[in-house]
Amino acid sequence: MLLLVTCQLMLVAVANDGSSLWLPRERNIQPSTFVKGSKGMALEELRNYYRGEVPVRLKLNRKARSGDAYIITATPERITLSSGTPSGLLYAAYDLLRMQQLGEVHSVESHPRFSLRLLNHWDNLDGSVERGYAGKSIWKWEQMQVSGKKVIMTPALRQRICDYARANASIGINGVVINNVNASPKMLSAEVLQKVQAISQLLEPYGIRTYLSINFASPKALGGLPTADPLDPQVRLWWQQKVDEIYRLMPRFGGFLVKANSEGQPGPGDYHRTHADGANMLADALQPHGGIVMWRCFVYGANHKGEDRVKQAVSEFQPLDGQFRQNVILQTKNGPLDFQPREPYSPVFDQIKQTPNMAELQITQEYTGQSRHLVYLAPMWKEFFSHVHPMRLCGIAGVANIGDDANWCGHHFSQANWYAFGRLAWNPDLSSEEIAREWLQLTFTKDEAFVRPMTEVMLASHEACVDYMMPLGLHHIFQFDHHYGPDPGGFKPDYPLEWCPVYYHQADSLGVGFDRSSTGSGATAQYREPYRSMYDKVSTCPENLLLWFHHVPWSHRMKSGLTLWEELCAHYNRGVNEVDRFHAVWQELRPLVLSADGNDARRWQEVEERLRHQQANAREWRRSCLDYFRPFAGEQSE
Ligand code: GCV
């Protein structure tokens, strides 16, 4: 009999699939009566999830501090949350819930460092996600039926979008660009816009504005005009009317994100116009409604073809600085190339002085093991902020790693990157360690015997990835197109040279690395001092970027006393050993993961399988890269 009952209980316990992310899992059976005050999503969330017995008051004080700043005052008798905006109150509510989950409620004063804290989805209308590694798009367009002015959505889709909005709001994200920068013109069709409106209505109560990526040729492709020339009056009128239509549907619409004249996308250059001409035309249409244009600087292979690829964005945009309308923001990837495991910061942030700048980070791990490797990205983003001070940016965008997988991100630990992005977008002064600890406690268990070693693993994981993929400043030696495994010898005569790995490492019998110093491509000259001089000389260039900026002899003595070749081998070995160590830690922690939450076997097992895969991949990277470079270095195989 006892056995039967136990079995039934076990059947009832649903395996934790990671879908609840870092959010509180247990909803109150009866809404809490201890929470009172300003109506809205903050009140609803606290009624559902606040478990304390100290009364909570929500005060919306429109005259209070500006923006989404909030104050939590906690005394033994009462907790008061106040803000000048409903979304500020909501952020305060999530902070309180976070403190409750972590077991310590205290007073807080908080304000966001960036006013724009955006996710960029690279989701396509056909349900695929460019560089998505967690299933298909969460926007199920086919599960939305337009009927007259209404959009009927399946309950499952509605729930998923609300869960998504909630997760974002809980970490302070306040805007989402819902489609790929390689944008389909159809995104602006009347039918799709109606569906976008339905999505935006679910996001708005969580303080999240909707933005769209647009295809610059839409007036031609969708509007039937003979041109998309930004100075053509018909084209300008088309955009104005399209923007008016969007704002009739969504008065709080945020604006457009644009990839133009880059990787085959149309743009103003097709009509011999500048990026400023293109951006300003859209800005003029959006301005009366308070909308913005985020114009991407990820542009290469057009006007400056043949120039070192990492220099092209500055060459293109720096002469235009000062020519953009006030509601244009230039959005630039953290590094000058393309989301490599390690890059120096992009010198666009030094050279664009009169136009507001936004940084684009990549949460989805295109070049850092996709959703198969445990790589915690906060340390990489902090490295970027240590060179480009957050004060110089008005916003921050993260390319989302979210899909329709049950656990949202493919790898359970990839959730930490979504979480860390939001937390840093709110407060870039938080340390990687604080964020990792917080996330582990909220997502797994508060048991220090688990949190301490796993925090250490997370913190070491980015450097390990750099070591087993591309140490010492090597870059872009990935396999073509999917960018997953190694291909240091990659060369395709029919591809642009700047997509070929051999272009980036320039290995020969003398040495390895891309000479970007004043004796080479001169990319170092695009940096402000002290970086310009520091990067320019082999003797002062940080060793972790040495081969990014210099072609270095194989016999060069590194600071360790090893030759360059020996140092390269040491890094590859260290990377592999680190992943072996991460796996050993995870195995040791199995009992703690399992006992933390009686139904956590699934998550443990899924992470376990991925770590094994990562171990095999790290070995493959080491073998492939060292085998390839060895003959250049004049070394014999082992
Ligand atoms: C959205 C890289 C990626 C592309 C991506 C592009 C971009 O080239 O591989 O998939 O396209 O960056 O950021 O525009």
Side-chain angles (χ1 to χ4, degrees), residues 122 130-131 180-182 259 262-263 265 296 298 300 309 333 337-339 360 362 366-367 399 476 481 483 499:
W122 285 357
E130 180 151 354
R131 311 305 175 186
N180 192 355
V181 286
N182 294 329
K259 172 175 177 178
S262 168
E263 299 187 331
Q265 292 302 307
R296 293 176 92 226
F298 180 70
Y300 65 94
R309 176 170 157 186
K333 294 185 182 183
L337 185 55
D338 192 12
F339 298 136
E360 182 178 306
Q362 197 186 44
E366 176 178 356
Y367 297 98
V399 179
H476 220 308
D481 306 324
H483 298 158
W499 287 0

Side-chain angles (χ1 to χ4, degrees), residues 153-169:
M153 212 183 260
T154 60
L157 177 58
R158 175 177 292 273
Q159 187 57 52
R160 183 79 169 174
I161 295 176
C162 289
D163 290 347
Y164 161 84
R166 194 167 164 248
N168 277 333

Side-chain angles (χ1 to χ4, degrees), residues 616-631:
N617 283 178
R619 284 179 165 68
E620 168 63 6
W621 269 98
R622 175 176 65 181
R623 189 200 57 71
S624 161
C625 294
L626 292 183
D627 280 0
Y628 176 80
F629 289 121
R630 185 173 289 114

Side-chain angles (χ1 to χ4, degrees), residues 546-558:
L546 192 61
L547 307 181
W548 183 284
F549 287 113
H550 297 277
H551 192 72
V552 182
W554 292 107
S555 56
H556 172 78
R557 285 281 155 205
M558 304 292 287

